């Protein structure tokens, strides 16, 4: 992308990261060499434990930090039917 502040983990650089649990019902027993394939083909949104966007935590321990997901979903669905 041409960003000089991206592409490596360092203070002052951009950071977008996602961590996925490899010990859920869907991902348990995953060998290290198949972790990426498991994340793509077996894991679901329930397996996401942490999301960091531009260096700021958005999800921690599987919970959004800045929004009420249920309320936002309910409002979005209500908007579709009104």
């Amino acid at each position: 992308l041409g960003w000089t502040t991206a592409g490596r983990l360092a203070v002052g650089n951009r950071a977008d990261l996602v961590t996925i649990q490899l010990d859920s019902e869907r991902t348990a027993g995953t060998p290290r060499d198949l972790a990426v394939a498991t994340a793509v083909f077996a894991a679901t949104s329930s397996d996401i434990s942490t999301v960091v966007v531009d260096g700021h935590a958005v999800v921690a321990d599987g919970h959004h930090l800045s929004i009420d997901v249920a309320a936002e979903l309910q409002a979005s669905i209500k908007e579709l039917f009104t």
Side-chain angles (χ1 to χ4, degrees):
L1 295 173
W3 294 340
T4 59
T5 59
R8 62 189 162 106
L9 293 177
V11 174
N13 282 12
R14 303 174 72 94
D16 292 344
L17 309 166
V18 175
T19 60
I20 298 172
Q21 297 177 4
L22 294 177
D23 61 353
S24 73
E25 302 83 22
R26 293 160 298 282
T27 62
T30 300
R32 282 190 177 277
D33 61 329
L34 295 178
V36 172
T38 299
V40 171
F41 296 112
T44 68
S45 59
S46 297
D47 298 312
I48 295 173
S49 56
T50 306
V51 177
V52 175
V53 176
D54 205 12
H56 302 283
V58 177
V59 175
D61 297 323
H63 301 285
H64 281 269
L65 300 176
S66 60
I67 64 171
D68 179 344
V69 175
E72 291 294 327
L73 183 58
Q74 183 177 14
S76 296
I77 292 170
K78 183 177 180 180
E79 191 173 309
L80 291 172
F81 292 102
T82 57

